[in-house]
């Protein structure tokens, strides 16, 4: 019951997508990628993308936000394998001309960074 109040359901995700919001992947099981095997990373990312395709909310420009900001070099290889356009970390900062080429380790701001 708690999770139903806290998290979006499929109907809400589809509505957001249909109203123009970009829906990206965050993994399937919200795992710390740098601590799990390459095989488990692959399966988790694959499952998340299959789910987004199944509910028809995926664009040609796919984004990924690493759970807990956790990734390693193999995770970035998987971003290429699955044609992810870019991936976001939990590192705070701007995307600018100096780091735009690091498309699988982009910095970002969270809403709490503005409090």
């Amino acid at each position: 019951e708690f999770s139903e109040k806290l998290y979006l359901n499929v109907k809400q995700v589809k509505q957001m997508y249909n109203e123009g919001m970009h829906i990206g992947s965050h993994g399937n099981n919200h795992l710390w990628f740098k601590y799990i095997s390459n095989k488990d990373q692959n399966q988790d990312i694959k499952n998340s993308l299959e789910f987004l395709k199944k509910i028809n909310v995926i664009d040609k420009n796919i984004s990924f936000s690493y759970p807990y900001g956790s990734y390693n070099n193999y995770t970035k290889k998987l971003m290429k394998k699955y044609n992810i356009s870019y991936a976001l970390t939990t590192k705070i900062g701007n995307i600018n001309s100096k780091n735009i080429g690091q498309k699988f380790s982009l910095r970002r701001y969270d809403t709490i960074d503005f409090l």
Side-chain angles (χ1 to χ4, degrees):
E1 184 180 318
F2 175 74
S3 66
E4 289 176 10
K5 292 179 181 179
L6 185 63
Y7 299 112
L8 295 169
N9 61 42
V10 171
K11 182 179 177 183
Q12 292 167 323
V13 172
K14 286 182 174 184
Q15 179 181 359
M16 291 169 65
Y17 179 80
N18 290 333
E19 292 182 16
M21 293 198 75
H22 172 79
I23 306 296
S25 178
H26 193 49
N28 195 59
N29 292 309
H30 209 257
L31 302 171
W32 292 75
F33 287 118
K34 70 180 177 181
Y35 298 119
I36 64 173
S37 71
N38 293 351
K39 180 181 176 185
D40 288 344
Q41 285 188 51
N42 184 69
Q43 193 62 51
D44 193 72
I45 293 167
K46 179 182 175 186
N47 289 347
S48 72
L49 296 173
E50 286 175 352
F51 174 75
L52 294 176
K53 288 176 186 172
K54 178 181 174 185
I55 66 169
N56 200 29
V57 296
I58 199 162
D59 293 320
K60 64 180 177 177
N61 292 315
I62 306 167
S63 66
F64 197 94
S65 184
Y66 302 118
Y68 311 103
S70 176
Y71 66 97
N72 57 28
N73 286 333
Y74 188 76
T75 320
K76 293 195 293 187
K77 288 179 183 178
L78 290 172
M79 296 295 108
K80 291 179 188 177
K81 174 182 176 179
Y82 288 107
N83 297 313
I84 305 294
S85 300
Y86 58 94
L88 300 159
T89 68
T90 54
K91 295 174 187 167
I92 300 168
N94 292 324
I95 299 171
N96 56 46
S97 61
K98 293 179 184 175
N99 62 21
I100 192 70
Q102 301 167 1
K103 69 180 191 171
F104 298 129
S105 56
L106 294 173
R107 296 174 178 268
R108 67 177 180 89
Y109 289 101
D110 193 324
T111 53
I112 63 170
D113 297 325
F114 298 100
L115 296 177

